Amino acid sequence: PLVVPVSYGALTRRGLLDRLSRVARAALHEAQEVGQISLRSAPKGIVHRGFAFVSVSSRDAGGRPRPGEVIIKEHTVTLRYAHRLSPHDQAGGRREATDAIDALELALRNSTDRDATAGEVVGFSSTEQQSRSLEWLVYDCIVTVRSLFQLQAPTAGAAA
């Protein structure tokens, strides 16, 4: 059974990104949030231990929504994280980077209970890419969050 906190309509896209940003900064040891991360602009366009939100989308998680009902919304956020590899210890740098992604996943999954209005993290996946220069590892982390959303019931004076 799905367990979600009772927070009708409280989770906005901005609120979701703010929450994920706070958790990511703490989990990634005060990593810096940047506007974008692109392997094409490396190394100028990448900040070591930087992260950026690449996309955010949401959808109804099932059923036909009717006015006045509470529905489940599912939000999918792609967070991109960059980690610079030292040319003198690439294996050690890769271990640090994978440790950072594991810490991020753990922090996101454990963040639900502390902030019940922010929904529940129900999914996390990551994909690693390495730059052509072999200097950077970039991870695309896909985070899925479910929340409750209260649809407004029509008011008595509203036109149909």
Side-chain angles (χ1 to χ4, degrees):
L2 174 65
V3 177
V4 293
V6 180
S7 57
Y8 302 150
L11 185 60
T12 63
R13 286 168 187 82
R14 180 179 178 167
L16 174 62
L17 292 178
D18 287 349
R19 171 182 165 237
L20 294 178
S21 180
R22 283 191 308 274
V23 173
R25 280 194 313 272
L28 300 171
H29 305 289
E30 298 304 318
Q32 180 181 352
E33 183 176 354
V34 296
Q36 68 177 8
I37 294 172
S38 171
L39 281 175
R40 286 178 269 166
S41 61
K44 277 204 287 195
I46 301 182
V47 173
H48 178 55
R49 289 183 157 169
F51 70 93
F53 294 108
V54 177
S55 66
V56 59
S57 61
S58 62
R59 67 179 186 89
D60 295 347
R64 182 175 173 210
R66 291 181 170 46
E69 290 183 347
V70 174
I71 62 169
I72 298 172
K73 295 287 285 185
E74 188 170 276
H75 309 273
T76 303
V77 176
T78 302
L79 179 149
R80 185 167 288 162
Y81 171 71
H83 194 95
R84 185 176 182 277
L85 297 175
S86 166
H88 305 293
D89 186 13
Q90 288 205 341
R94 180 176 294 279
R95 283 191 294 276
E96 287 176 7
T98 56
D99 287 350
I101 295 302
D102 289 343
L104 175 63
E105 178 180 7
L106 184 62
L108 287 168
R109 289 187 183 271
N110 287 329
S111 67
T112 300
D113 294 336
R114 282 180 245 135
D115 192 4
T117 62
E120 178 184 20
V121 174
V122 295
F124 182 95
S125 64
S126 65
T127 304
E128 176 187 287
Q129 300 175 58
Q130 191 165 13
S131 66
R132 286 187 178 147
S133 69
L134 306 178
E135 182 182 6
W136 294 95
L137 288 177
V138 175
Y139 293 85
D140 282 340
C141 303
I142 299 171
V143 182
T144 305
V145 177
R146 286 198 184 135
S147 67
L148 299 180
F149 189 79
Q150 174 74 53
L151 297 176
Q152 296 296 318
T155 58

